[in-house]
Amino acid sequence: MGSRIETLNAGGYRSDGRRQLELRDFIIDLPTVSSSNADGSAVVSHGLTTVMASVFGPREARLRSLTLHDRAVVNVEVGITPFSSGERRRRGRGDKYILELAAAIKATFEPVIQIHLYPRSQIDIYVQVLEQDGGMLQASINATTLALINAGVPMSDYVAAITCGVFSTQPLLDLTSLEESDVPHLTLAVMPKTGKVTLVTMETRLHVDRFEELVRLALLASKVLHAEMRTAIRAHTGELIRAMGGSRLSRVPDREDAPGDDDQDEAMADA
Amino acid sequence: MASSSQLSQSKIDPSVFQRLHPRAYLERFLSEGIRPDGRDPGAWRGVSVNVGSISTAEGSALVRVGDTTIVCGVKAEIAEPELDRPEHGFLVPNIDLPAMCSPRFKPGPPGEEAQVLSDRLNNVLISLEVLSTASLCIHPGKAVWVLYVDATCLNYDGNAFDATLLAMIAALKNTKLPMAKFNEETGRTTCSHSSSVPLDIRHLPLSASFGIFDSSHILADPASFEEPLLDAFITVILNEDGALNSIAQSGLATVGEKSSEEVVAGCVAEAKKRCADTRKCI
């Protein structure tokens, strides 16, 4: 009989030593040198889950027949490396799980990206999962947000995603793969400034009484993630400005309530 | 930028000229003895290797050769050996070139380039006996290790072969397998959680690739802009003791007055220096 791991012990600690509502280490890596073919990219880690997102576009569509006359088409492709999970699993491009993930990401970002600015164009988002330890959709959405901003694609707001679950009656945030297989959980993607939710996915059975509390906690968590993302983007943009010789502007002012606070790299460069 | 004394009357933007006339663009640079990315024709790009960053893999490596970025992970599984080779395990290398690494690659099933690369790497790793497959045996005829060496290109800027071979070798060197014991009665293999053993790596082959442009210039470590313009390719693979393992040439390798034998010999000499340098990274 193997030893079992407690999801949440009597002292309030989870199997990886975190408290109930504690998030994993959130590490953001934005490329300082534009060494890739992509227009924007970002590598995001939540604990041991690492995802890289690359954005190409807006660019000329590959097939004229797939374009729309009044807006850009958003394409999402997800790849999961075979060595990313505990058990090696080679998923083909047409794998249903991957297609579902891609469809979820596309549905999350289509209303947020200002696609009406780019008719007859295509915006390609490529997501590559390098390491999995729960929260794959969460990390993919966060990485995609940062890659889109890095590429200078205009959006209405950041999108921050988080997983949350319930262990008996106790809510948990940012679940690892062990916890995901153990407790009912859902993934929520939120636009932090307005609190509008762009995605909720839940595949396990959750009691309806618990749902409201989870959404409330997820909104709080998304604000925390949003703050981290903003800090990373500002630091990155500041470095770009310094590198372009604008040393007086290197300290990017932090105006929380400024209208049109889009953090676009190009916009800052023009300043 | 090369002098444009032969250019037509209208002024043309360099980046537009590069898109419209890539061959002429490259010729202009090479006639001045320099390449579009600033390198000398015989110069190599910098290499950086980072091992062990993927926690879910038994071994992993992230390699950058210039801007070409490859991540490679090694996963081990247990399987029954082949009937005619009961004491040998398996090594299964694979390279994936997804659409994210370059606009050249379209989304969908693996293209020709990825398949050719996978095949070449498979030949190198198996025929050069990088790893003794006999060392992967747990119990003859019953249980052997299967090592899946999966590489994914995250950014493509030419010469994926050199970068991927380096990534696979570095990942294999980083790999540790758990101690495994086969139970004759139950027919099952148990692995230890605590003790692990590094692989029995016999050889560490590294490669150096060259391209020949217009039968007049030898370009070391071709970048993605140069690659489609090259007429011939030469890849030299050397061992850790400098011994020559393989030379692969596709296309006619004559350069100016030199015969193809002289050209290949020159490349081998250059490859020796390059591989010695690269070896310091792993």
Side-chain angles (χ1 to χ4, degrees):
Chain A
M1 189 65 131
S3 63
R4 293 181 54 207
I5 298 178
E6 286 180 301
T7 309
L8 186 66
N9 73 10
Y13 288 98
R14 290 150 78 171
S15 52
D16 58 356
R18 283 186 289 155
R19 309 290 323 217
Q20 259 183 278
L21 304 179
E22 195 180 326
L23 302 178
R24 290 179 287 185
D25 272 340
F26 184 39
I27 299 172
I28 298 170
D29 194 10
L30 294 165
T32 43
V33 191
S34 168
S35 62
S36 95
N37 291 309
D39 294 316
S41 67
V43 181
V44 153
S45 295
H46 285 276
L48 292 177
T49 300
T50 305
V51 171
M52 173 173 174
S54 288
V55 169
F56 287 80
R59 59 178 174 180
E60 190 180 340
R62 209 176 291 283
L63 291 169
R64 287 283 301 277
S65 53
L66 294 179
T67 58
L68 294 165
H69 71 281
D70 59 345
R71 53 193 176 88
V73 171
V74 176
N75 289 324
V76 179
E77 262 240 343
V78 174
I80 302 182
T81 52
F83 47 80
S84 60
S85 53
E87 294 287 312
R88 181 190 185 260
R89 179 115 181 237
R90 190 170 162 75
R91 295 182 188 267
R93 292 281 151 190
D95 187 274
K96 296 245 175 17
Y97 183 56
I98 287 191
L99 290 178
E100 202 181 324
L101 218 54
I105 296 172
K106 178 175 162 147
T108 307
F109 283 96
E110 249 181 356
V112 182
I113 300 174
Q114 291 173 8
I115 46 180
H116 288 280
L117 294 177
Y118 304 104
R120 283 178 281 272
S121 310
Q122 184 175 302
I123 298 175
D124 289 311
I125 301 171
Y126 297 115
V127 175
Q128 191 77 24
V129 177
L130 300 171
E131 264 181 297
Q132 285 183 51
D133 185 26
M136 196 160 46
L137 182 57
Q138 161 194 327
S140 304
I141 290 175
N142 293 332
T144 305
T145 301
L146 290 162
L148 285 165
I149 296 174
N150 191 230
V153 174
M155 300 202 288
S156 332
D157 196 358
Y158 284 70
V159 181
I162 189 77
T163 49
C164 36
V166 168
F167 177 69
S168 74
T169 55
Q170 313 278 30
L172 301 173
L173 283 179
D174 199 0
L175 305 165
T176 58
S177 62
L178 211 59
E179 292 165 341
E180 273 183 354
S181 55
D182 224 12
V183 304
H185 60 276
L186 55 90
T187 303
L188 210 90
V190 177
M191 288 162 63
K193 267 211 275 289
T194 50
K196 289 206 177 112
V197 175
T198 66
L199 176 94
V200 179
T201 63
M202 184 169 77
E203 280 147 17
T204 48
R205 276 192 310 198
L206 181 69
H207 198 287
V208 67
D209 291 346
R210 306 266 83 88
F211 185 76
E212 206 177 310
E213 191 188 3
L214 284 189
V215 172
R216 186 183 60 81
L217 285 169
L219 288 172
L220 287 176
S222 71
K223 285 204 162 48
V224 172
L225 292 177
H226 174 227
E228 288 295 311
M229 290 200 267
R230 276 177 97 241
T231 311
I233 291 279
R234 283 176 181 285
H236 178 71
T237 309
E239 274 185 46
L240 281 177
I241 294 173
R242 256 192 303 278
M244 290 165 89
S247 53
R248 285 175 297 125
L249 298 165
S250 62
R251 199 187 67 79
V252 180
D254 195 337
R255 297 163 302 161
E256 182 65 55
D257 303 313
D261 186 3
D262 281 323
D263 295 321
Q264 298 309 314
D265 290 4
E266 275 98 332
M268 281 296 174
D270 287 341
Chain B
M1 186 50 203
S3 64
S4 45
S5 48
Q6 296 123 319
L7 197 52
S8 61
Q9 313 310 53
S10 58
K11 284 208 76 174
I12 207 170
D13 192 64
S15 56
V16 174
F17 188 74
Q18 181 184 13
R19 293 296 294 271
L20 292 177
H21 310 285
R23 250 194 120 76
Y25 186 84
L26 186 57
E27 264 166 24
R28 302 271 167 110
F29 273 96
L30 291 176
S31 63
E32 304 280 326
I34 201 169
R35 289 153 80 171
D37 59 3
R39 285 188 281 158
D40 284 341
W44 302 86
R45 292 178 288 186
V47 170
S48 80
V49 177
N50 186 323
V51 292
S53 50
I54 309 274
S55 56
T56 47
E58 269 73 68
S60 61
L62 175 70
V63 164
R64 280 199 188 88
V65 172
D67 288 339
T68 298
T69 309
I70 309 274
V71 64
C72 178
V74 177
K75 291 287 293 177
E77 282 182 4
I78 299 179
E80 276 187 21
E82 279 178 1
L83 287 172
D84 52 355
R85 301 188 80 209
E87 292 181 2
H88 290 264
F90 304 96
L91 188 62
V92 184
N94 187 53
I95 166 84
D96 195 20
L97 298 172
M100 91 179 323
C101 65
S102 166
R104 288 171 52 170
F105 304 117
K106 298 188 181 17
E112 189 192 318
E113 190 139 1
Q115 291 181 47
V116 168
L117 216 48
S118 281
D119 203 46
R120 285 175 70 191
L121 288 162
N122 187 37
N123 287 338
V124 171
L125 293 182
I126 307 294
S127 66
L128 296 182
E129 290 188 13
V130 168
L131 187 55
S132 144
T133 45
S135 68
L136 297 176
C137 179
I138 301 170
H139 191 95
K142 298 284 184 198
V144 293
W145 285 112
V146 183
L147 290 180
Y148 292 100
V149 186
D150 296 299
T152 304
C153 182
L154 300 177
N155 191 53
Y156 183 83
D157 191 22
N159 202 3
F161 184 80
D162 285 359
T164 312
L165 182 61
L166 179 60
M168 288 186 170
I169 296 290
L172 284 168
K173 210 168 163 224
N174 178 245
T175 305
K176 282 191 157 57
L177 295 178
M179 299 267 320
K181 262 212 291 278
F182 181 74
N183 189 326
E184 294 256 14
E185 293 153 13
T186 61
R188 292 168 68 190
T189 318
T190 40
C191 293
S192 158
H193 277 295
S194 47
S195 51
S196 55
V197 187
L199 292 175
D200 178 18
I201 310 238
R202 294 289 165 85
H203 298 293
L204 297 169
L206 291 181
S207 67
S209 296
F210 304 81
I212 300 192
F213 177 71
D214 206 19
S215 299
S216 49
H217 300 275
I218 305 175
L219 303 179
D221 195 6
S224 68
F225 170 69
E226 299 158 350
E227 261 184 1
L229 306 169
L230 301 172
D231 312 311
F233 293 91
I234 299 174
T235 300
V236 178
I237 304 182
L238 296 161
N239 235 343
E240 63 275 8
D241 43 17
L244 187 60
N245 273 342
S246 145
I247 301 178
Q249 176 193 325
S250 66
L252 203 54
T254 49
V255 173
E257 296 295 314
K258 291 197 212 163
S259 69
S260 59
E261 291 87 1
E262 286 171 356
V263 168
V264 170
C267 288
V268 171
E270 283 304 310
K272 279 202 162 88
K273 291 186 228 160
R274 168 63 167 178
C275 290
D277 281 337
T278 320
R279 209 168 285 286
K280 295 182 194 144
C281 299
I282 54 165

